[in-house]
Amino acid sequence: MAVEAEIDRLPIDLLAHIFVLITSFTDLAQVSSVCRKWRKGVTQSLGGRHNLSFAGCKMDDVSTARLVRHAYSLKELDISRSRWGCQISDNGLYQISLAKCVSNLTSISLWGMTGVTDKGVAHLMSLCLSLQIIVHT
């Protein structure tokens, strides 16, 4: 007879609440690789976040867009250049613009993004109906 570990008895909602407290995306990636239940908890925790900051993270178009798509309650997005060189491009902004949360974004920071042009910013801004603040230089 298999014995269930105490941690396995935690409901997904409680795991998601715990995972919201983890701010490091590296740590979240490691947590999501533990098991399917934890991966689901990480995904659910992203859904409840109101702000995401990738400042200080080495992110690319695909991974950034994937995380933003899961953050359906998102209001503030910071994908500013980090010291490691964030690699977001216009293609990444296009992928981000497909996320359901985009119309609710009130703040976006794209400071120092060398791969982003005015065309990519204009496309994203055209879909951000609640946008109040944009930082882009």
Side-chain angles (χ1 to χ4, degrees), residues 25-105:
F25 290 105
T26 303
D27 292 345
L28 278 176
Q30 290 175 342
V31 166
S32 71
S33 67
V34 169
C35 65
R36 283 186 218 125
K37 185 175 183 179
W38 283 34
R39 182 177 301 125
K40 188 175 180 182
V42 168
T43 300
Q44 190 171 329
S45 77
L46 287 170
R49 292 178 189 249
H50 292 281
N51 58 12
L52 282 178
S53 175
F54 300 110
C57 300
K58 186 173 183 178
M59 300 296 291
D60 60 19
D61 291 340
V62 175
S63 56
T64 302
R66 184 173 1 110
L67 289 171
V68 171
R69 278 195 302 272
H70 289 299
Y72 52 82
S73 298
L74 194 61
K75 301 279 186 203
E76 299 176 7
L77 177 61
D78 180 0
I79 51 176
S80 301
R81 183 184 74 201
S82 69
R83 60 184 161 161
W84 291 286
C86 196
Q87 300 170 3
I88 305 297
S89 67
D90 284 346
N91 183 43
L93 292 186
Y94 176 76
Q95 290 178 39
I96 289 169
S97 73
L98 300 174
K100 292 179 181 178
C101 66
V102 166
S103 63
N104 297 322
L105 287 175

